[in-house]
Amino acid sequence: MGIPGLTQALKDKYTEIVNFGHCHNPIEDLETKGTVSSIVIDGPSFAYFIYYRLLSLKDFSSNPIDAVPSYNEIGKATLIYLDEIRLVGVKIDRIYFDGYLPLFKVGTRQARLEQSRRLLFNFRQNHWNGWKAPVDAPHQAITNAEKLFDYKRGTGEKFHSIPAAPFLVPMVIEKLSTSRYARVTKVVYGEADSYCAARAHQLGGCILTKDSDMFVYDLGLKGCFTFFENINLIRHSDNSLRTIPIMQADVYRPRKIAQQLGLDELGRLAYEMKEDPHRSFSSNLQKAIHKSSDRVNTKEYQDFKDEYNLSNMHEDGIMPYKNFIPERFLEAIDNHIDYAGDRIDTKNIDLSELQKFCSGWCSGPSKNPERLCPMKDKVTLNTLPKMSIWKYISERSTQNLDPRVSELVLQLQQRRIGTESQFPNPAMFLPILIDDPGRTSAWFSSFQTRRLAYSLLNRSMHPRKRIPHILEYSRRGERVVPTEIPLMTPEETVAEMDSFLSKQQLIRQISQGTEVDFWRTYALYELCQWRNNSGSELSNPKKLRKLMECGYVGDRLEWDAIDDYAHIEAILYSHRILKMINNVALEQQLEGNHAEKSNSIQKNLDSLPRLEDLLVSRIDLRHHQEDRLPKNYWGNIIKKFQDGIKNLGNDEPTPGEEEEPGVGEEEEEEEGRPSKGKRRCRERRAAPANKVRKQTIAKATSKNMFDILGEE
């Protein structure tokens, strides 16, 4: 959350200007104090920095929802920014992302979700009537780095009135993991900032972050940090007309600043300012210097210090253990284990042999500094038991997981290794979607998909380690609360897996276009099915067709369309969760019928596209959707869905054929006589309720979600 006021108090007098890279500075009036040759990046901070930089470049006349940068645009800008840093000769050493949530941070996470929910609620209140649909061209991706380093234009206030893109961080991780930066991108067993601090303490270098918590860490003599907005890019032309990029930054060295202020470390000052942000900086400093505050003897202060104490990082499973295991040692473990692609063949790992190998490696002589670390006096063979090795293997298997999924998987992994007391109630935290906050959360339409994922993960555990439910934190009405999700029995799990495979097969038969189109078709089917099963009113077919075709309904963007669009995105992302968790469950030795069906499910889910391709912005969709699908594809699809699942496999014309008009397609009317489409609508409205039920989509094999959760 940062330390209020600390950055503002220190930024003028206690920064140093440094060059990024080893090139000589040709501009005489730019005085610097040293160079930075290596950087460590706080991944979540980086993702949000790129997001808000792109947002600041939007036309302020745009409505806030359409101004949100597309995931494709964010992904490209991410690589452009990193490429520019490499161009000046700086090594990007690590990009760390959170992969595990400490138990003491649950309240903080819930408070942040509530803050986003309140932001969305107020936004809906202020814009209840929607907006006129834009007519401009699709999102234009940033093609040069200068705009990303130009901080003169701030983000419009109205653009901060809405929560950030809900899948921003996992999309950035996915982009980096499929780029030249894959090897340095790490989803870690803890919080990213502590890993960044430990890396800088151990090897030196500069941390790039937006979090003022970095002041509190001991970064050592060679470690420093800077905020993203403190990095400046200058293009200099020399006498030969060459353009030389020069990158500079104002950096902070916490250990040096503490000495200048007369302190042993900045932790005490940071705590005083956090507890009383309204008191002046000088007063807080004097209390910290003279240790005159009663707070220093409290348990709260000791907990605050422990949170930033790198020497204690290995003493409990909450904090990152990798900081006390040298990187080269971990690479040696990698070479010793037989990996199959991204999966670890845990069945063939002999932990006793691996322990013997590790002991021999650690006792061998070496002058390589990476085999040591700041806490070397505490690194003994006793600190590398089988449990630590298993923890490392567990973390290695979560490298391709999104942070929220990684958090859940590692919570259950603790049960596997006997440390479940550190997180007694495993939980999934779902981000706030841009849906209609006056209605049921858009996450509810894909509840059953996530429940299947949680159940498969649970089935992969030893019977004595299994749990009865998962907590899911999400918006329910006007609150963010945890909901107990009861996990399926073996019979229910098999039935749900069969249902998934059947639906996949049926939708494959009728869909056209790319894999993106197939999955959007599948998500639309799931939405229609959920509305039918839950007793919700089905969306207007014509409006739904327009929404799927171009992201808008008519010439306005209204909350009905926003809410349906959020449901589609939630369904797609829930299947991504299922894909990741099902993969982990397979690695952890699912058995019997579950394993066979789980493999079939994984083959279907492997076709799920990347987030930047799957979650298309409305503006991009409006300009490109018609390029790849037959005329009235979505109209015919919606007609089939609403006529019932019994028609999905017959010999009627496939979507795109023009024998019969689909939902929403215009027909000429004879004078005094409504068109066929309108007659059918009137006939359906006049039909008995039991007849209408037969024409709607059949119910799923699983329980109605509201039987489990209860209606809001």
Side-chain angles (χ1 to χ4, degrees):
M1 297 290 284
I3 310 298
L6 187 55
T7 303
Q8 187 68 25
L10 299 177
K11 71 176 184 178
D12 293 329
K13 296 182 180 180
Y14 300 98
T15 59
E16 296 179 5
I17 301 176
V18 299
N19 275 333
F20 272 35
H22 296 292
C23 60
H24 173 67
N25 180 6
I27 307 179
E28 295 181 357
D29 59 344
L30 294 179
E31 297 183 1
T32 61
K33 296 182 178 181
T35 62
V36 167
S37 59
S38 175
I39 63 170
V40 179
I41 298 178
D42 179 350
S45 292
F46 179 47
Y48 280 94
F49 165 75
I50 292 294
Y51 174 82
Y52 283 110
R53 285 305 306 138
L54 292 175
L55 198 57
S56 72
L57 301 174
K58 298 296 180 180
D59 183 353
F60 288 173
S61 65
S62 302
N63 75 67
I65 288 183
D66 284 327
V68 170
S70 70
Y71 289 113
N72 181 271
E73 187 180 6
I74 295 168
K76 291 180 178 178
T78 297
L79 298 186
I80 289 173
Y81 187 91
L82 295 177
D83 288 345
E84 192 67 27
I85 291 178
R86 287 177 68 246
L87 188 62
V88 299
V90 174
K91 175 187 175 183
I92 298 175
D93 181 47
R94 289 290 186 272
I95 307 173
Y96 287 127
F97 288 90
D98 304 338
Y100 182 71
L101 179 72
L103 182 59
F104 67 87
K105 286 292 186 74
V106 169
T108 301
R109 174 70 61 78
Q110 188 173 1
R112 287 179 176 175
L113 288 174
E114 173 59 27
Q115 184 181 17
S116 295
R117 184 212 62 79
R118 193 179 304 114
L119 200 63
L120 179 64
F121 181 82
N122 293 335
F123 180 77
R124 172 68 171 85
Q125 293 287 90
N126 294 332
H127 302 281
W128 60 271
N129 198 33
W131 303 267
K132 186 176 180 180
V135 295
D136 56 338
H139 287 289
Q140 297 296 321
I142 295 293
T143 57
N144 62 77
E146 279 82 356
K147 291 183 179 179
L148 296 175
F149 289 90
D150 180 8
Y151 311 113
K152 294 178 181 178
R153 179 181 170 113
T155 306
E157 183 178 347
K158 71 174 182 177
F159 291 165
H160 282 280
S161 63
I162 187 171
F167 309 116
L168 170 64
V169 173
M171 190 286 303
V172 170
I173 294 173
E174 184 177 52
K175 188 70 175 181
L176 293 173
S177 298
T178 55
S179 73
R180 65 177 65 90
Y181 304 103
R183 291 184 63 83
V184 300
T185 301
K186 307 290 182 181
V187 178
V188 295
Y189 190 91
E191 295 185 287
D193 56 352
S194 56
Y195 272 82
C196 291
R199 187 73 176 177
H201 185 127
Q202 178 181 349
L203 300 175
C206 183
I207 299 169
L208 273 57
T209 185
K210 70 176 184 66
D211 194 347
S212 60
D213 281 349
M214 207 57 67
F215 280 110
V216 191
Y217 287 106
D218 179 11
L219 304 185
L221 293 174
K222 297 181 179 179
C224 63
F225 78 93
T226 188
F227 300 114
F228 288 101
E229 60 269 21
N230 288 351
I231 302 173
N232 297 306
L233 176 64
I234 304 169
R235 302 287 190 193
H236 175 71
S237 298
D238 63 10
N239 294 333
S240 61
L241 301 181
R242 293 181 306 166
T243 299
I244 302 174
I246 301 171
M247 194 173 291
Q248 295 184 326
D250 296 331
V251 302
Y252 298 89
R253 301 186 186 276
R255 183 176 286 192
K256 184 175 180 180
I257 293 173
Q259 293 173 352
Q260 291 174 315
L261 293 174
L263 297 168
D264 296 332
E265 37 82 26
L266 292 178
R268 189 182 302 277
L269 173 62
Y271 186 75
E272 294 290 347
M273 296 190 69
K274 184 175 182 180
E275 290 299 301
D276 195 347
H278 301 295
R279 192 166 55 197
S280 69
F281 174 76
S282 58
S283 296
N284 280 319
L285 177 59
Q286 289 304 310
K287 283 184 172 291
I289 292 174
H290 300 295
K291 303 178 182 180
S292 58
S293 173
D294 295 335
R295 297 192 181 101
V296 298
N297 299 318
T298 64
K299 180 180 181 299
E300 289 75 14
Y301 175 64
Q302 292 304 317
D303 290 343
F304 176 81
K305 284 186 63 178
D306 290 343
E307 184 178 343
Y308 301 98
N309 190 347
L310 299 180
S311 65
N312 292 333
M313 295 178 78
H314 66 285
E315 293 180 357
D316 63 63
I318 292 177
M319 299 303 288
Y321 63 89
K322 275 184 67 175
N323 297 292
F324 79 97
I325 304 179
E327 289 276 344
R328 290 291 178 85
F329 169 68
L330 299 179
E331 293 172 5
I333 293 181
D334 273 344
N335 295 331
H336 192 73
I337 297 175
D338 179 27
Y339 293 102
D342 292 327
R343 299 184 183 182
I344 300 173
D345 187 1
T346 53
K347 296 179 182 178
N348 295 329
I349 294 178
D350 185 334
L351 289 182
S352 61
E353 285 297 315
L354 185 57
Q355 174 68 13
K356 182 179 179 181
F357 158 76
C358 295
S359 300
W361 191 92
C362 288
S363 60
S366 175
K367 295 182 180 179
N368 192 313
E370 276 205 60
R371 292 183 67 170
L372 302 176
C373 63
M375 294 72 71
K376 59 180 180 295
D377 57 314
K378 296 188 178 183
V379 179
T380 66
L381 295 182
N382 292 330
T383 64
L384 296 173
K386 294 180 182 179
M387 184 178 296
S388 289
I389 297 171
W390 183 257
K391 280 184 178 182
Y392 170 68
I393 295 170
S394 299
E395 181 183 301
R396 175 62 175 81
S397 69
T398 63
Q399 278 302 300
N400 294 318
L401 302 182
D402 292 348
R404 298 295 178 265
V405 178
S406 174
E407 290 172 359
L408 177 63
V409 168
L410 290 176
Q411 289 166 34
L412 267 72
Q413 290 283 23
Q414 288 186 338
R415 306 185 70 83
R416 181 185 290 274
I417 62 177
T419 57
E420 58 266 29
S421 61
Q422 291 170 5
F423 219 116
N425 298 306
M428 168 66 83
F429 293 84
L430 298 174
I432 298 298
L433 299 168
I434 311 301
D435 58 5
D436 187 342
R439 305 182 187 183
T440 301
S441 169
W443 283 114
F444 274 58
S445 53
S446 49
F447 158 81
Q448 201 68 13
T449 300
R450 297 190 304 281
R451 185 174 176 232
L452 173 60
Y454 307 151
S455 300
L456 286 171
L457 185 60
N458 196 43
R459 298 306 306 170
S460 71
M461 303 289 290
H462 188 280
R464 287 182 298 179
K465 300 291 185 179
R466 290 173 187 161
I467 55 178
H469 62 262
I470 292 285
L471 291 181
E472 206 176 59
Y473 285 78
S474 64
R475 178 180 69 79
R476 286 180 63 84
E478 296 185 8
R479 296 181 301 159
V480 172
V481 295
T483 301
E484 286 190 359
I485 308 297
L487 301 181
M488 299 176 183
T489 64
E491 295 75 19
E492 289 174 330
T493 303
V494 170
E496 191 64 31
M497 295 168 88
D498 286 336
S499 173
F500 170 82
L501 293 171
S502 297
K503 289 185 289 186
Q504 283 275 308
Q505 182 180 6
L506 288 167
I507 302 303
R508 282 283 177 196
Q509 293 175 6
I510 67 167
S511 67
Q512 294 186 20
T514 64
E515 284 298 321
V516 171
D517 298 313
F518 162 74
W519 280 102
R520 294 185 74 240
T521 303
Y522 186 87
L524 177 62
Y525 171 79
E526 290 277 272
L527 175 58
C528 292
Q529 186 184 50
W530 173 74
R531 290 202 186 282
N532 179 73
N533 291 350
S534 63
S536 303
E537 182 180 354
L538 292 175
S539 301
N540 179 283
K542 185 175 180 179
K543 290 184 176 181
L544 196 56
R545 175 179 69 88
K546 286 284 189 182
L547 179 70
M548 298 305 294
E549 285 178 348
C550 61
Y552 300 89
V553 177
D555 60 353
R556 292 193 63 77
L557 177 60
E558 298 179 337
W559 283 96
D560 284 349
I562 293 170
D563 197 64
D564 281 341
Y565 210 79
H567 276 279
I568 296 294
E569 290 195 337
I571 291 168
L572 292 172
Y573 190 77
S574 293
H575 281 80
R576 180 180 170 91
I577 292 175
L578 175 60
K579 174 184 177 180
M580 293 180 169
I581 289 183
N582 185 62
N583 196 20
V584 173
L586 284 170
E587 292 171 1
Q588 296 180 354
Q589 305 174 34
L590 274 175
E591 297 178 351
N593 199 21
H594 288 102
E596 181 182 349
K597 292 183 182 297
S598 187
N599 273 302
S600 298
I601 285 176
Q602 198 64 29
K603 290 178 181 177
N604 282 270
L605 292 171
D606 281 343
S607 69
L608 199 64
R610 297 181 303 176
L611 285 175
E612 64 177 306
D613 300 321
L614 189 62
L615 305 181
V616 186
S617 72
R618 287 182 183 83
I619 295 180
D620 288 342
L621 186 67
R622 188 175 193 180
H623 286 78
H624 297 303
Q625 181 69 14
E626 66 274 11
D627 296 344
R628 64 176 185 260
L629 288 174
K631 181 181 178 182
N632 202 39
Y633 171 82
W634 290 110
N636 283 311
I637 283 290
I638 293 167
K639 178 179 182 299
K640 280 185 175 288
F641 287 172
Q642 297 197 340
D643 280 350
I645 200 169
K646 63 180 183 228
N647 293 328
L648 287 175
N650 62 17
D651 295 325
E652 291 183 2
T654 57
E657 295 181 1
E658 299 300 322
E659 289 190 15
E660 183 180 3
V663 172
E665 187 173 359
E666 301 298 333
E667 268 188 70
E668 292 184 4
E669 296 184 17
E670 298 178 14
E671 186 175 354
R673 179 178 176 81
S675 67
K676 291 180 182 178
K678 291 185 178 179
R679 288 204 306 275
R680 282 195 298 270
C681 290
R682 292 179 184 178
E683 289 167 2
R684 280 198 293 271
R685 285 196 295 267
N690 62 344
K691 188 172 181 180
V692 173
R693 172 65 74 187
K694 290 180 181 180
Q695 292 178 333
T696 55
I697 299 171
K699 285 197 173 187
T701 58
S702 58
K703 285 185 178 181
N704 186 315
M705 59 174 291
F706 288 100
D707 293 337
I708 300 168
L709 296 180
E711 294 191 34
E712 283 193 352

